[in-house]
Amino acid sequence: MKQLSSRVTAFALLGALALTTTACGKKNGGDAASGEEANSFSYTATWGADEPQAKIFQAAIADFTAQTGVKVDVKWMGRNGTDGLPTEMAAGRGPDLFDTATDNIAKFRAQNLLAPLDDVLTAKIPGDGKTVGEVLSPAAKQASSDEKGLALIPHTVISTGVWFDATRHPDLAARPPRTWDEFLAYLDKAKKAGRTPLGQDGTVPFYNAYWFYSALVRAHGAGSLYALGTDARAWDRPEVLAAARQVQKLAEGGYFQKDFTATKFPAAQDRFAAGGYDLNINGTWLTSEVKSKLPADARINSFQYPAGGKNSVEAGTLGWGVNAKGRHPEAAKRFLAFFQQKKYTARIGTEALNIPPVPTSPRPAT
Amino acid sequence: MSATAVRIPRDSRPSTPVRERGRRRPRPARERAFWPLLLPALVLYTALFVGPALYGVWVSLHRWAGPGAEMSWRGLRNYTSLLQNDAFRSSFGNTLVLAVGGGAAVFAATFLAMTVLRQAKGRAFIRSVVFLPMIISAIAVGAAVGFLLNPDGAVNELLGAVGIEGLPWLGPDLVFRCVIAGLVWSSTGFYIALMMSAVDAIPPHLYEDAHLSGATKWEQFRYITLPLTWDVFSVAAVLWVVNSLKVFEIVLAFTTGGTPGDPPLEARTVAVQQYITVSGGHTVPDLGQGAAMGVFVVLVTAVLILLIRRVTRRDRVELS
């Protein structure tokens, strides 16, 4: 995790991908509630009420209401309850605040549903001398923007890494592989020792694609993957073939568990958590997903895919968008500034076990 | 047995006596009530079905990301690009395989049930049991699939216990066959229930008669059960085709359920591909292309239904 924050430039890979199609349209501003002070706003969440994120947000909402008198009408819908949200919002019946992420920006932008958020960046955080724009990391802001500007206020940075349990593999924690050769040497050593080095939920195509993404982007930096979506000729570049060869080497080298392409999520990541495999490539949300399967003494840690070259890191964000057609966008924006207080953002790291977009906040402990 | 059944030609209608005298009669009440009674239904049907359907056709001629976004005219290019779209072509191929292969399996099992279940002991119980999978939610099926079909799942362990090497059931080569098997498992009960209700209406004495004449089980099925349930079979076959072209959630249950990922190409049906297109996956939604897929599937469904009606067209057999 430390490498992620300290070593390399993060960039908006997912954001770049999401921009492959042009977003059209007129500018929308927050319309209603002009003049009068709104004393409520509504929020539809893609979190379930029992998730740690929901608990953190709920605590912040309770404090917000107590201190400002602004009531928040929250619906904790969970992951699958919000398919109709863009349609609802476009019809003018949507919430003021909604959950979104880097890879959904294009979708909401295409329907002109994203209110501009520059005024949130300049807003002062209550009890803190700084503005929201000052505490959010530049990389997180970039990953939350498209060519029309900031699209969401992030609360979590997501990226990918190769994960391991530092308690069971202190060697990896002390000296993670830094080159492709070192990585292969580790895999061969683990295989010889009778272990399965890599666990993979291979029925999920985008988890498999992480290997290729990482091999290409780590070595060749921002834009190398984006080019594949915008220019067909980019597929003929030698670095693309080289990245694919690395993936082929991994797949054919017998490093993954048997029949990994037939393993259904979450079997492989669960078994990884229980110590069945040494490594698992995954998003930064992995620890929070497998928490209940981890041994008590587990210390989950990660290193970045060791491809050499530019050592770039992929970054995306999860955060909040403000509905351009909502009734009380100003009240929702007020909450966004309120949430940036350290006592809330820190809990994204300590309780939700994810990465807050605020460099001064603690990282997840495990 | 043919003594008790008569064949009724399709176009025979009860003849009505003609009483034309050349002068205007007051219209019968039935005729006067026609429009007032029909109109509310017609208006509702037009507003709730015909209108939206035509709107779907209109959308299919545009590029559109959904309400709030601008629509731009694309004409027939949404349709022509479908033909060049590998993802759509493979999902359509999968759907046809599912409709034909799955249909053959479902009706083979149904016909078998019709011969065996007619006088089996505890048949009501068996019918309930085979119907059960129909009401189990795809989410529950999805969770069970992982436990059963993963490389180290229960099925491979059972096979291992009897000395057979396990298979990568959910891997690229087998996953769609597993989806079809899952669909057959979950929907056969419905068709058995449907067909058995028709079988139950056949008077037992026909079978007693056949039995005395020395007819085998197969002959009884061939000459009594099938002809007397043919109408229902024709409807069931149409229902199967309509449903199989819309198969959706079971694909997710067998593949990427529980993740935000799109199912792998080799397991996609047209409905899944359409959903990915319309929801945008991780890019901009393309409702125009999705609507074009919808129109295309409706046309294919219509053609298949016509074919089935043509193939299953027989003179109706009715008991006298």
Side-chain angles (χ1 to χ4, degrees):
Chain A
M1 299 308 325
K2 284 207 174 80
Q3 295 179 5
L4 180 75
S5 61
S6 62
R7 252 203 3 201
V8 274
T9 52
F11 68 98
L13 175 71
L14 292 173
L17 265 180
L19 294 177
T20 45
T21 12
T22 52
C24 47
K26 60 179 196 286
K27 282 230 164 184
N28 272 292
D31 44 4
S34 50
E36 62 183 278
E37 188 78 3
N39 58 3
S40 74
F41 73 89
S42 55
Y43 169 35
T44 298
T46 53
W47 303 97
D50 292 332
E51 292 187 83
Q53 283 85 349
K55 287 179 183 156
I56 299 165
F57 301 159
Q58 188 61 66
I61 286 167
D63 293 351
F64 179 69
T65 303
Q67 285 174 34
T68 63
V70 177
K71 291 202 181 77
V72 185
D73 172 22
V74 200
K75 289 195 185 84
W76 303 106
M77 301 293 283
R79 254 11 131 253
N80 299 317
T82 51
D83 280 356
L85 196 59
T87 310
E88 250 177 73
M89 285 162 58
R93 289 197 306 275
D96 299 297
L97 191 67
F98 61 98
D99 287 314
T100 183
T102 305
D103 47 350
N104 290 331
I105 293 177
K107 195 185 300 188
F108 286 102
R109 187 71 84 187
Q111 291 180 254
N112 297 312
L113 295 171
L114 296 169
L117 295 170
D118 301 315
D119 47 343
V120 179
L121 287 183
T122 53
K124 281 259 190 305
I125 301 168
D128 190 325
K130 292 180 177 156
T131 64
V132 174
E134 282 163 357
V135 299
L136 291 176
S137 84
K141 278 184 280 189
Q142 197 189 340
S144 309
S145 307
D146 61 4
E147 83 281 358
K148 293 200 170 165
L150 191 66
L152 57 104
I153 296 293
H155 54 68
T156 302
V157 173
I158 52 172
S159 183
T160 48
V162 182
W163 300 85
F164 62 94
D165 181 349
T167 307
R168 267 137 210 96
H169 303 283
D171 48 329
L172 282 175
R175 200 177 179 291
R178 303 217 183 273
T179 64
W180 169 245
D181 290 333
E182 281 180 31
F183 186 48
L184 277 188
Y186 175 82
L187 297 178
D188 282 325
K189 198 178 75 181
K191 208 168 88 171
K192 245 179 224 147
R195 302 196 303 271
T196 305
L198 301 170
Q200 184 80 14
D201 282 313
T203 55
V204 182
F206 82 94
Y207 280 170
N208 295 335
Y210 276 163
W211 291 104
F212 175 75
Y213 287 2
S214 305
L216 185 62
V217 172
R218 292 279 295 151
H220 299 280
S224 55
L225 182 61
Y226 178 69
L228 299 182
T230 52
D231 180 6
R233 284 167 307 171
W235 286 92
D236 295 330
R237 290 179 187 167
E239 64 255 34
V240 176
L241 182 63
R245 286 252 159 84
Q246 285 189 354
V247 181
Q248 185 183 22
K249 171 81 183 155
L250 292 176
E252 292 176 356
Y255 303 120
F256 293 106
Q257 83 273 18
K258 184 172 175 289
D259 289 333
F260 69 94
T261 55
T263 304
K264 187 169 186 287
F265 171 90
Q269 72 177 37
D270 284 354
R271 178 170 280 211
F272 157 78
Y277 311 125
D278 286 12
L279 304 167
N280 178 239
I281 199 167
N282 217 309
T284 43
W285 55 81
L286 176 69
T287 320
S288 101
E289 277 187 0
V290 298
K291 198 176 171 196
S292 62
K293 311 284 194 322
L294 290 171
D297 62 343
R299 286 184 299 124
I300 296 299
N301 205 334
S302 76
F303 58 85
Q304 286 291 316
Y305 182 93
K310 292 193 173 160
N311 279 334
S312 300
V313 173
E314 165 202 14
T317 52
L318 311 178
W320 291 290
V322 173
N323 181 3
K325 294 180 178 163
R327 292 204 181 82
H328 307 299
E330 298 313 320
K333 286 177 177 179
R334 227 175 129 192
F335 170 72
L336 293 185
F338 183 88
F339 182 81
Q340 298 307 324
Q341 295 176 67
K342 217 170 272 175
K343 58 181 169 184
Y344 306 123
T345 55
R347 291 173 66 183
I348 293 289
T350 54
E351 282 172 45
L353 303 182
N354 269 280
I355 308 171
V358 184
T360 51
S361 281
R363 296 287 167 267
T366 46
Chain B
M1 43 195 163
S2 56
T4 52
V6 287
R7 284 178 180 277
I8 301 174
R10 289 185 64 81
D11 48 356
S12 72
R13 292 188 195 94
S15 54
T16 40
V18 187
R19 284 190 295 148
E20 285 301 320
R21 293 274 165 86
R23 85 184 144 91
R24 254 181 105 81
R25 290 175 295 113
R27 289 191 301 155
R30 226 176 97 176
E31 212 171 290
R32 268 179 287 139
F34 182 77
W35 280 109
L37 286 178
L38 180 69
L39 210 59
L42 196 66
V43 167
L44 270 182
Y45 188 73
T46 307
L48 297 178
F49 182 76
V50 179
L54 290 178
Y55 185 66
V57 176
W58 175 246
V59 168
S60 79
L61 302 174
H62 293 81
R63 179 186 289 283
W64 192 38
E70 286 74 17
M71 257 191 187
S72 60
W73 178 257
R74 282 201 89 203
L76 290 175
R77 271 175 296 161
N78 275 331
Y79 291 90
T80 51
S81 68
L82 273 190
L83 303 176
Q84 288 143 20
N85 182 338
D86 286 339
F88 176 76
R89 283 200 310 212
S90 79
S91 66
F92 184 66
N94 280 345
T95 308
L96 287 186
V97 168
L98 186 150
V100 175
V106 163
F107 286 103
T110 304
F111 288 157
L112 188 70
M114 284 159 67
T115 58
V116 177
L117 279 187
R118 200 178 53 80
Q119 353 129 274
K121 272 193 187 135
R123 55 184 179 273
F125 175 73
I126 298 172
R127 272 154 71 169
S128 312
V129 169
V130 294
F131 189 78
L132 257 185
M134 181 89 193
I135 56 175
I136 297 177
S137 83
I139 296 161
V141 173
V145 160
F147 293 125
L148 292 172
L149 296 180
N150 260 328
D152 52 359
V155 170
N156 278 351
E157 287 205 355
L158 269 180
L159 289 176
V162 294
I164 302 170
E165 200 182 343
L167 287 170
W169 300 107
L170 302 174
D173 300 330
L174 292 176
V175 62
F176 197 64
R177 281 178 231 184
C178 288
V179 168
I180 295 179
L183 190 72
V184 170
W185 166 78
S186 73
S187 46
T188 301
F190 173 75
Y191 294 95
I192 289 180
L194 201 66
M195 295 297 287
M196 286 309 289
S197 65
V199 172
D200 287 346
I202 302 173
H205 68 82
L206 292 182
Y207 291 100
E208 286 155 17
D209 194 6
H211 185 66
L212 289 177
S213 318
T216 61
K217 284 255 178 204
W218 162 248
E219 284 167 336
Q220 291 178 24
F221 174 75
R222 172 73 186 80
Y223 296 107
I224 301 175
T225 314
L226 202 54
L228 289 174
T229 55
W230 193 255
D231 275 6
V232 182
F233 168 66
S234 169
V235 172
V238 167
L239 277 179
W240 165 261
V241 166
V242 171
N243 288 332
S244 64
L245 293 184
K246 295 192 300 191
V247 164
F248 177 75
E249 72 274 19
I250 196 164
V251 175
L252 269 68
F254 274 73
T255 54
T256 52
T259 76
D262 297 330
L265 272 179
E266 59 269 12
R268 284 183 200 169
T269 57
V270 170
V272 170
Q273 184 62 30
Q274 191 181 18
Y275 175 74
I276 292 170
T277 311
V278 167
S279 71
H282 296 288
T283 56
V284 178
D286 189 348
L287 269 66
Q289 183 91 79
M293 289 181 195
V295 173
F296 184 77
V297 169
V298 166
L299 292 178
V300 170
T301 311
V303 169
L304 286 177
I305 290 175
L306 281 178
L307 276 176
I308 290 174
R309 301 299 289 186
R310 175 56 63 96
V311 168
T312 57
R313 187 141 130 197
R314 301 274 154 93
D315 288 345
R316 202 148 57 92
V317 178
E318 221 172 58
L319 295 169
S320 57

